[in-house]
Short mmCIF file of all heavy atoms in Angstrom, two decimals:
data_model
loop_
_atom_site.label_atom_id
_atom_site.label_comp_id
_atom_site.label_asym_id
_atom_site.label_seq_id
_atom_site.Cartn_x
_atom_site.Cartn_y
_atom_site.Cartn_z
N LEU T 18 -29.53 -22.22 -10.27
CA LEU T 18 -29.84 -23.63 -10.50
C LEU T 18 -28.62 -24.36 -11.05
O LEU T 18 -28.30 -25.49 -10.64
CB LEU T 18 -31.01 -23.73 -11.48
CG LEU T 18 -31.52 -25.16 -11.79
CD1 LEU T 18 -32.03 -25.82 -10.53
CD2 LEU T 18 -32.62 -25.10 -12.86
N GLY T 19 -27.90 -23.71 -11.97
CA GLY T 19 -26.68 -24.31 -12.50
C GLY T 19 -25.65 -24.54 -11.41
O GLY T 19 -24.97 -25.59 -11.39
N GLU T 20 -25.52 -23.59 -10.49
CA GLU T 20 -24.58 -23.74 -9.38
C GLU T 20 -24.96 -24.94 -8.52
O GLU T 20 -24.10 -25.71 -8.07
CB GLU T 20 -24.57 -22.47 -8.52
CG GLU T 20 -24.08 -21.23 -9.24
CD GLU T 20 -22.57 -21.22 -9.42
OE1 GLU T 20 -22.09 -21.85 -10.40
OE2 GLU T 20 -21.87 -20.61 -8.61
N ARG T 21 -26.26 -25.11 -8.31
CA ARG T 21 -26.73 -26.23 -7.49
C ARG T 21 -26.42 -27.56 -8.18
O ARG T 21 -25.95 -28.51 -7.55
CB ARG T 21 -28.23 -26.08 -7.25
CG ARG T 21 -28.82 -27.15 -6.35
CD ARG T 21 -30.28 -26.87 -6.11
NE ARG T 21 -30.90 -27.90 -5.27
CZ ARG T 21 -32.18 -27.93 -4.96
NH1 ARG T 21 -32.99 -26.98 -5.43
NH2 ARG T 21 -32.66 -28.88 -4.20
N TYR T 22 -26.72 -27.64 -9.49
CA TYR T 22 -26.42 -28.86 -10.24
C TYR T 22 -24.92 -29.16 -10.18
O TYR T 22 -24.51 -30.31 -10.01
CB TYR T 22 -26.85 -28.70 -11.70
CG TYR T 22 -28.33 -28.81 -11.94
CD1 TYR T 22 -28.97 -28.03 -12.91
CD2 TYR T 22 -29.11 -29.73 -11.22
CE1 TYR T 22 -30.33 -28.13 -13.15
CE2 TYR T 22 -30.48 -29.84 -11.45
CZ TYR T 22 -31.08 -29.04 -12.41
OH TYR T 22 -32.43 -29.16 -12.64
N ARG T 23 -24.11 -28.14 -10.34
CA ARG T 23 -22.66 -28.35 -10.37
C ARG T 23 -22.14 -28.87 -9.04
O ARG T 23 -21.26 -29.73 -8.99
CB ARG T 23 -21.98 -27.04 -10.75
CG ARG T 23 -20.50 -27.20 -11.10
CD ARG T 23 -19.99 -25.99 -11.83
NE ARG T 23 -18.60 -26.18 -12.20
CZ ARG T 23 -17.61 -25.39 -11.79
NH1 ARG T 23 -17.86 -24.35 -11.03
NH2 ARG T 23 -16.38 -25.62 -12.18
N ARG T 24 -22.67 -28.34 -7.95
CA ARG T 24 -22.24 -28.81 -6.63
C ARG T 24 -22.56 -30.30 -6.43
O ARG T 24 -21.88 -30.99 -5.70
CB ARG T 24 -22.92 -27.99 -5.52
CG ARG T 24 -22.33 -26.60 -5.34
CD ARG T 24 -22.78 -26.00 -4.03
NE ARG T 24 -24.23 -25.86 -3.95
CZ ARG T 24 -24.88 -24.78 -4.35
NH1 ARG T 24 -24.23 -23.75 -4.88
NH2 ARG T 24 -26.20 -24.71 -4.24
N HIS T 25 -23.61 -30.77 -7.10
CA HIS T 25 -24.01 -32.17 -6.97
C HIS T 25 -23.43 -33.05 -8.08
O HIS T 25 -23.83 -34.22 -8.25
CB HIS T 25 -25.54 -32.29 -6.97
CG HIS T 25 -26.18 -31.81 -5.71
ND1 HIS T 25 -26.43 -30.48 -5.46
CD2 HIS T 25 -26.59 -32.49 -4.59
CE1 HIS T 25 -26.99 -30.34 -4.27
NE2 HIS T 25 -27.09 -31.55 -3.72
N GLY T 26 -22.51 -32.47 -8.87
CA GLY T 26 -21.84 -33.25 -9.89
C GLY T 26 -22.65 -33.50 -11.14
O GLY T 26 -22.30 -34.37 -11.95
N LEU T 27 -23.73 -32.76 -11.35
CA LEU T 27 -24.59 -32.93 -12.52
C LEU T 27 -24.17 -31.94 -13.60
O LEU T 27 -24.84 -30.93 -13.88
CB LEU T 27 -26.06 -32.73 -12.13
CG LEU T 27 -26.57 -33.67 -11.02
CD1 LEU T 27 -27.98 -33.28 -10.59
CD2 LEU T 27 -26.53 -35.12 -11.49
N SER T 28 -23.04 -32.21 -14.22
CA SER T 28 -22.44 -31.25 -15.16
C SER T 28 -23.32 -30.97 -16.37
O SER T 28 -23.41 -29.82 -16.83
CB SER T 28 -21.07 -31.76 -15.62
OG SER T 28 -20.18 -31.87 -14.53
N ASP T 29 -23.97 -32.01 -16.92
CA ASP T 29 -24.80 -31.80 -18.12
C ASP T 29 -25.97 -30.87 -17.83
O ASP T 29 -26.28 -29.98 -18.62
CB ASP T 29 -25.31 -33.15 -18.63
CG ASP T 29 -24.20 -33.99 -19.23
OD1 ASP T 29 -23.14 -33.40 -19.54
OD2 ASP T 29 -24.38 -35.21 -19.37
N ARG T 30 -26.61 -31.09 -16.69
CA ARG T 30 -27.75 -30.24 -16.34
C ARG T 30 -27.28 -28.83 -15.96
O ARG T 30 -27.97 -27.84 -16.23
CB ARG T 30 -28.55 -30.88 -15.21
CG ARG T 30 -29.09 -32.25 -15.56
CD ARG T 30 -30.05 -32.78 -14.53
NE ARG T 30 -31.34 -32.10 -14.60
CZ ARG T 30 -32.40 -32.42 -13.85
NH1 ARG T 30 -32.30 -33.44 -12.98
NH2 ARG T 30 -33.53 -31.77 -13.96
N ALA T 31 -26.11 -28.75 -15.34
CA ALA T 31 -25.54 -27.43 -15.03
C ALA T 31 -25.26 -26.67 -16.31
O ALA T 31 -25.54 -25.46 -16.42
CB ALA T 31 -24.26 -27.59 -14.22
N LEU T 32 -24.72 -27.37 -17.30
CA LEU T 32 -24.43 -26.73 -18.59
C LEU T 32 -25.69 -26.14 -19.21
O LEU T 32 -25.69 -25.00 -19.69
CB LEU T 32 -23.81 -27.77 -19.53
CG LEU T 32 -23.49 -27.30 -20.95
CD1 LEU T 32 -22.42 -26.22 -20.93
CD2 LEU T 32 -23.05 -28.48 -21.83
N GLU T 33 -26.79 -26.89 -19.18
CA GLU T 33 -28.06 -26.40 -19.74
C GLU T 33 -28.54 -25.15 -18.99
O GLU T 33 -29.02 -24.19 -19.60
CB GLU T 33 -29.11 -27.50 -19.66
CG GLU T 33 -28.82 -28.71 -20.55
CD GLU T 33 -29.84 -29.82 -20.36
OE1 GLU T 33 -30.79 -29.61 -19.57
OE2 GLU T 33 -29.70 -30.88 -20.99
N ALA T 34 -28.41 -25.19 -17.66
CA ALA T 34 -28.87 -24.04 -16.87
C ALA T 34 -28.03 -22.79 -17.15
O ALA T 34 -28.56 -21.68 -17.29
CB ALA T 34 -28.82 -24.40 -15.38
N TYR T 35 -26.72 -22.95 -17.24
CA TYR T 35 -25.85 -21.82 -17.53
C TYR T 35 -26.12 -21.26 -18.93
O TYR T 35 -26.13 -20.03 -19.14
CB TYR T 35 -24.38 -22.22 -17.41
CG TYR T 35 -23.92 -22.56 -16.01
CD1 TYR T 35 -23.05 -23.62 -15.78
CD2 TYR T 35 -24.34 -21.81 -14.91
CE1 TYR T 35 -22.60 -23.94 -14.51
CE2 TYR T 35 -23.90 -22.12 -13.63
CZ TYR T 35 -23.04 -23.19 -13.43
OH TYR T 35 -22.60 -23.49 -12.17
N GLU T 36 -26.34 -22.15 -19.90
CA GLU T 36 -26.64 -21.70 -21.26
C GLU T 36 -27.94 -20.90 -21.30
O GLU T 36 -28.03 -19.88 -21.99
CB GLU T 36 -26.71 -22.90 -22.20
CG GLU T 36 -25.35 -23.51 -22.51
CD GLU T 36 -25.46 -24.75 -23.38
OE1 GLU T 36 -26.57 -25.35 -23.42
OE2 GLU T 36 -24.46 -25.11 -24.04
N LEU T 37 -28.93 -21.35 -20.54
CA LEU T 37 -30.20 -20.62 -20.49
C LEU T 37 -30.02 -19.29 -19.79
O LEU T 37 -30.61 -18.28 -20.21
CB LEU T 37 -31.26 -21.47 -19.79
CG LEU T 37 -32.68 -20.87 -19.74
CD1 LEU T 37 -33.16 -20.48 -21.14
CD2 LEU T 37 -33.65 -21.85 -19.09
N ALA T 38 -29.21 -19.26 -18.75
CA ALA T 38 -28.94 -18.00 -18.05
C ALA T 38 -28.29 -16.99 -18.99
O ALA T 38 -28.65 -15.81 -19.01
CB ALA T 38 -28.05 -18.25 -16.84
N ALA T 39 -27.33 -17.46 -19.79
CA ALA T 39 -26.66 -16.57 -20.75
C ALA T 39 -27.63 -16.09 -21.82
O ALA T 39 -27.55 -14.95 -22.30
CB ALA T 39 -25.49 -17.30 -21.38
N GLU T 40 -28.56 -16.96 -22.21
CA GLU T 40 -29.56 -16.58 -23.21
C GLU T 40 -30.52 -15.53 -22.66
O GLU T 40 -30.90 -14.58 -23.35
CB GLU T 40 -30.34 -17.82 -23.65
CG GLU T 40 -31.40 -17.56 -24.71
CD GLU T 40 -32.17 -18.82 -25.09
OE1 GLU T 40 -31.60 -19.93 -24.94
OE2 GLU T 40 -33.33 -18.69 -25.51
N LEU T 41 -30.92 -15.69 -21.40
CA LEU T 41 -31.86 -14.75 -20.78
C LEU T 41 -31.21 -13.39 -20.51
O LEU T 41 -31.88 -12.36 -20.56
CB LEU T 41 -32.40 -15.35 -19.48
CG LEU T 41 -33.34 -16.55 -19.64
CD1 LEU T 41 -33.61 -17.20 -18.29
CD2 LEU T 41 -34.65 -16.11 -20.29
N ASP T 42 -29.93 -13.40 -20.19
CA ASP T 42 -29.24 -12.14 -19.94
C ASP T 42 -27.83 -12.22 -20.52
O ASP T 42 -26.87 -12.56 -19.81
CB ASP T 42 -29.17 -11.85 -18.43
CG ASP T 42 -28.56 -10.48 -18.13
OD1 ASP T 42 -28.25 -9.75 -19.09
OD2 ASP T 42 -28.38 -10.15 -16.94
N PRO T 43 -27.67 -11.89 -21.79
CA PRO T 43 -26.36 -11.97 -22.44
C PRO T 43 -25.33 -11.01 -21.86
O PRO T 43 -24.13 -11.16 -22.13
CB PRO T 43 -26.67 -11.62 -23.90
CG PRO T 43 -28.14 -11.82 -24.06
CD PRO T 43 -28.73 -11.49 -22.73
N SER T 44 -25.78 -10.02 -21.06
CA SER T 44 -24.84 -9.03 -20.52
C SER T 44 -24.22 -9.48 -19.20
O SER T 44 -23.34 -8.80 -18.68
CB SER T 44 -25.56 -7.70 -20.29
OG SER T 44 -26.49 -7.80 -19.22
N ALA T 45 -24.65 -10.63 -18.65
CA ALA T 45 -24.14 -11.10 -17.36
C ALA T 45 -22.89 -11.95 -17.58
O ALA T 45 -22.96 -12.99 -18.26
CB ALA T 45 -25.20 -11.90 -16.62
N PRO T 46 -21.74 -11.56 -17.02
CA PRO T 46 -20.50 -12.32 -17.25
C PRO T 46 -20.48 -13.68 -16.56
O PRO T 46 -19.80 -14.60 -17.02
CB PRO T 46 -19.41 -11.41 -16.66
CG PRO T 46 -20.06 -10.07 -16.47
CD PRO T 46 -21.51 -10.34 -16.25
N SER T 47 -21.19 -13.84 -15.45
CA SER T 47 -21.03 -15.03 -14.61
C SER T 47 -21.34 -16.32 -15.34
O SER T 47 -20.66 -17.34 -15.15
CB SER T 47 -21.92 -14.90 -13.36
OG SER T 47 -23.26 -14.66 -13.73
N ALA T 48 -22.39 -16.35 -16.19
CA ALA T 48 -22.74 -17.58 -16.90
C ALA T 48 -21.63 -17.98 -17.87
O ALA T 48 -21.29 -19.17 -17.98
CB ALA T 48 -24.05 -17.39 -17.65
N TYR T 49 -21.03 -17.01 -18.55
CA TYR T 49 -19.94 -17.32 -19.47
C TYR T 49 -18.73 -17.88 -18.71
O TYR T 49 -18.03 -18.77 -19.22
CB TYR T 49 -19.52 -16.08 -20.25
CG TYR T 49 -20.63 -15.47 -21.08
CD1 TYR T 49 -21.01 -14.15 -20.91
CD2 TYR T 49 -21.30 -16.23 -22.05
CE1 TYR T 49 -22.02 -13.59 -21.66
CE2 TYR T 49 -22.32 -15.68 -22.81
CZ TYR T 49 -22.68 -14.35 -22.61
OH TYR T 49 -23.69 -13.80 -23.35
N VAL T 50 -18.49 -17.34 -17.53
CA VAL T 50 -17.37 -17.84 -16.72
C VAL T 50 -17.56 -19.32 -16.41
O VAL T 50 -16.65 -20.15 -16.57
CB VAL T 50 -17.23 -17.03 -15.42
CG1 VAL T 50 -16.18 -17.66 -14.50
CG2 VAL T 50 -16.85 -15.58 -15.72
N ARG T 51 -18.78 -19.69 -15.97
CA ARG T 51 -19.05 -21.09 -15.63
C ARG T 51 -19.02 -21.99 -16.87
O ARG T 51 -18.53 -23.11 -16.81
CB ARG T 51 -20.39 -21.20 -14.92
CG ARG T 51 -20.41 -20.61 -13.54
CD ARG T 51 -19.53 -21.41 -12.60
NE ARG T 51 -19.60 -20.88 -11.24
CZ ARG T 51 -18.74 -20.02 -10.73
NH1 ARG T 51 -17.69 -19.61 -11.46
NH2 ARG T 51 -18.88 -19.59 -9.50
N LEU T 52 -19.55 -21.50 -17.97
CA LEU T 52 -19.51 -22.29 -19.20
C LEU T 52 -18.07 -22.55 -19.63
O LEU T 52 -17.73 -23.65 -20.11
CB LEU T 52 -20.27 -21.57 -20.32
CG LEU T 52 -21.80 -21.55 -20.17
CD1 LEU T 52 -22.43 -20.58 -21.17
CD2 LEU T 52 -22.38 -22.96 -20.36
N GLY T 53 -17.22 -21.56 -19.43
CA GLY T 53 -15.80 -21.75 -19.72
C GLY T 53 -15.16 -22.78 -18.81
O GLY T 53 -14.34 -23.59 -19.24
N GLU T 54 -15.54 -22.74 -17.52
CA GLU T 54 -14.99 -23.73 -16.58
C GLU T 54 -15.38 -25.15 -16.98
O GLU T 54 -14.55 -26.07 -16.96
CB GLU T 54 -15.49 -23.43 -15.17
CG GLU T 54 -14.85 -22.24 -14.50
CD GLU T 54 -15.29 -22.11 -13.06
OE1 GLU T 54 -14.75 -22.84 -12.21
OE2 GLU T 54 -16.19 -21.28 -12.79
N LEU T 55 -16.65 -25.34 -17.31
CA LEU T 55 -17.10 -26.67 -17.69
C LEU T 55 -16.38 -27.15 -18.96
O LEU T 55 -16.01 -28.33 -19.06
CB LEU T 55 -18.62 -26.67 -17.92
CG LEU T 55 -19.48 -26.49 -16.66
CD1 LEU T 55 -20.95 -26.40 -17.03
CD2 LEU T 55 -19.25 -27.64 -15.68
N ALA T 56 -16.16 -26.24 -19.89
CA ALA T 56 -15.46 -26.61 -21.12
C ALA T 56 -14.01 -26.99 -20.81
O ALA T 56 -13.48 -27.97 -21.36
CB ALA T 56 -15.52 -25.46 -22.12
N ALA T 57 -13.36 -26.21 -19.95
CA ALA T 57 -11.97 -26.52 -19.59
C ALA T 57 -11.87 -27.87 -18.89
O ALA T 57 -10.93 -28.64 -19.12
CB ALA T 57 -11.41 -25.41 -18.70
N GLU T 58 -12.83 -28.15 -18.00
CA GLU T 58 -12.84 -29.44 -17.31
C GLU T 58 -13.01 -30.60 -18.28
O GLU T 58 -12.51 -31.71 -18.04
CB GLU T 58 -13.95 -29.46 -16.27
CG GLU T 58 -13.70 -28.53 -15.09
CD GLU T 58 -14.93 -28.36 -14.20
OE1 GLU T 58 -15.96 -29.01 -14.48
OE2 GLU T 58 -14.85 -27.59 -13.24
N ALA T 59 -13.69 -30.34 -19.41
CA ALA T 59 -13.90 -31.37 -20.42
C ALA T 59 -12.76 -31.41 -21.44
O ALA T 59 -12.80 -32.20 -22.39
CB ALA T 59 -15.23 -31.13 -21.13
N GLY T 60 -11.76 -30.56 -21.25
CA GLY T 60 -10.63 -30.53 -22.17
C GLY T 60 -10.88 -29.74 -23.43
O GLY T 60 -10.06 -29.79 -24.36
N GLU T 61 -11.98 -29.02 -23.51
CA GLU T 61 -12.32 -28.23 -24.69
C GLU T 61 -11.79 -26.80 -24.51
O GLU T 61 -12.55 -25.87 -24.22
CB GLU T 61 -13.83 -28.24 -24.91
CG GLU T 61 -14.40 -29.64 -25.12
CD GLU T 61 -15.92 -29.65 -25.17
OE1 GLU T 61 -16.53 -28.59 -24.87
OE2 GLU T 61 -16.50 -30.70 -25.48
N MET T 62 -10.50 -26.64 -24.66
CA MET T 62 -9.86 -25.37 -24.31
C MET T 62 -10.26 -24.24 -25.27
O MET T 62 -10.34 -23.07 -24.85
CB MET T 62 -8.34 -25.53 -24.29
CG MET T 62 -7.86 -26.68 -23.39
SD MET T 62 -8.62 -26.66 -21.72
CE MET T 62 -7.88 -25.22 -21.01
#
Side-chain angles (χ1 to χ4, degrees):
L18 183 61
E20 296 285 83
R21 183 177 178 183
Y22 284 144
R23 192 164 182 240
R24 285 195 299 270
H25 287 82
L27 303 173
S28 297
D29 290 342
R30 300 189 74 176
L32 177 65
E33 293 176 3
Y35 292 140
E36 287 177 339
L37 184 53
E40 181 182 334
L41 291 170
D42 185 3
S44 70
S47 55
Y49 301 123
V50 173
R51 290 293 183 264
L52 288 169
E54 286 186 79
L55 290 176
E58 290 169 3
E61 300 173 351
M62 306 312 291

